[in-house]
Amino acid sequence: MNVTAAILHAPNQPFQMETVELDGPREGEVLIQVKATGLCHSDLHVCEGNVPWQFPALLGHEAAGIVVECGSGVDDLKPGDHVVPFLIPRCGKCAYCSSAKTNLCLEALARLRPREGRFRLNGKPITQLWGLGTFAEYTVLPADTVAKVRSDAPFDPICYIGCGATTGIGAVLFSAKVEAGSSVVVFGLGGIGLNVVQGARIAGARMIVGVDTNQAKESIAREFGVTEFIDPTSIPKLTSHLMKMTGGGADYSFECIGNPTTMRQALECTNLAWGRSYVIGVAPHGADVCATPAHLMMGRRWTGCYMGGARLNQLPELVDWYMNKKINLDSLITHRLRLDQLNEGFELMKKGESIRAIVTL
Ligand code: APR
Ligand code: ZN
């Protein structure tokens, strides 16, 4: 079939609206009509050439839609089902899938490398970013990478649960398992960081410190649960300030920027014995992080998580949390766009004017 898609032909170029050819679903695949798809910072990393990829490419990975057709061997989905794709499939066969120690699947790692997709432009193949690709009216995806969700939940905003919301909320509740009464420092109060903040509030954290160079983030951060806001440009010794503020170091910190300098600060502001610091932000390709070994010797732990440590089968529960108003997504959706406005949407992200922009189809 022919479908309209926003294609990126090379890094640092605008998206081009194209009519592309899409093959029907093969064995184990599903054809999905995309109803809403979010603009994520990770897509921007690819647009800017900070994360290598093969072009021309169909980007977009945070989405919600309706199953239109199932390939052979797909038993657990049927046309009409509402679904949210997820970057981590459940192949169900690998050592990772059967381990309780990780939410990863070896297939997820394999799909981080470009391979042939189901789209073509004038007969030439188009890659699907990280095995997904949702900046199109329709897409074909492996069935093991989509979660079936309740049909009364609105596509916009539940598409956000496919990546950003889950990455932030899950980091706190599924990965760190923050205890009630904890002190938490969140670096970067964007589409990810604010979800970390709401996760920390749900966990019952006593103190939630938000650190962001953009003063304009303070009011939404407070609405989401930040108890103290810090603009680091106004504090000369940020880490010792944070150590004092938290009474000897935070129990947990989360870096939601993708900057090696703030990653180090996030480690150093935690309690020297039991502090745990989570790297969530994606640093530019080839970047290194540094630490003083003494800062680790007393027991601090420096770690990270992918997709908040969530598994595909937890997505329906997160949708329930939205429907039951346990989590707030609506206040984070600042812009709604058409597919042909993707370039404007990413400009808003670069300028820090949007929290989450969603394309509705
Ligand atoms: N110190 C403090 N805050 C900073 C700094 C800094 N040095 N640099 C940027 N920020 C703030 C910005 O002002 C913004 O509010 O970090 C926030 C980043 O938010 P977004 O741009 O909305 O990014 P987000 O979508 O939240 O993603 C953050 O996580 O998943 C990754 O790829 C993603 O690397 C990206 C990171
Ligand atoms: Zn697997």
Side-chain angles (χ1 to χ4, degrees), residues 90-94 96-97 105-107:
R90 295 298 286 164
C91 83
K93 294 175 209 129
C94 71
Y96 287 45
C97 273
C105 160
L106 283 177
E107 255 305 299

Side-chain angles (χ1 to χ4, degrees), residues 144-218:
D144 65 4
T145 209
V146 301
K148 181 180 166 177
V149 300
R150 56 197 273 180
S151 59
D152 60 339
F155 299 110
D156 154 16
I158 63 155
C159 61
Y160 200 7
I161 288 173
C163 180
T166 300
T167 295
I169 296 165
V172 179
L173 299 178
F174 306 148
S175 294
K177 300 188 170 77
V178 168
E179 305 88 357
S182 301
S183 54
V184 176
V185 180
V186 185
F187 284 76
L189 301 168
I192 304 291
L194 289 168
N195 277 300
V196 169
V197 171
Q198 73 171 323
R201 181 180 44 78
I202 294 166
R206 159 182 63 87
M207 177 186 256
I208 307 173
V209 185
V211 181
D212 201 297
T213 44
N214 183 351
Q215 192 77 47
K217 297 287 169 99
E218 179 168 359

Side-chain angles (χ1 to χ4, degrees), residues 41-42 45 188-192 212-214 217 256-257 262 281-282:
H41 214 118
S42 311
H45 288 317
L189 301 168
I192 304 291
D212 201 297
T213 44
N214 183 351
K217 297 287 169 99
C256 312
I257 301 166
T262 45
V282 178

